[in-house]
Amino acid sequence: VLVYPPSGTGAVNITRGDLKRLDSGQYLNDTLIEFGLKVWLNNLRAEQPVLAEQVHVFNSFFYKKLNAKKEYVPSYTYLYKSFL
């Protein structure tokens, strides 16, 4: 239904299902919260650009991704240098 911002990276896609979450008695989902934060940050950039440069907005999956345990897989460069 809506893509915000319309161009550039990090766009949020709002679907009909997301819009139904705006009905009374419904809970907001991650997509709507991310959309709201992006609109807020865009408005802040217009009103207070210096402050906006100090603000970073991450989606709700950022911490999960940051905190995920990864198995160590050596890079090609590391392996190549190790066997020279």
Side-chain angles (χ1 to χ4, degrees), residues 11-12 15-17 21 24 26-27 30-31 38-39 42 46-49 52 54 72:
V12 178
T15 65
R16 291 187 201 294
R21 296 238 174 224
S24 179
Q26 296 292 314
Y27 294 103
D30 296 334
T31 304
K38 286 186 182 255
V39 169
N42 191 43
E47 296 170 10
Q48 298 181 36
Q54 300 173 35
Y72 176 71

Side-chain angles (χ1 to χ4, degrees), residues 71-84:
E71 292 183 31
Y72 176 71
V73 178
S75 68
Y76 172 79
T77 305
Y78 173 80
L79 291 173
Y80 181 76
K81 288 179 180 179
S82 295
F83 291 104
L84 281 181

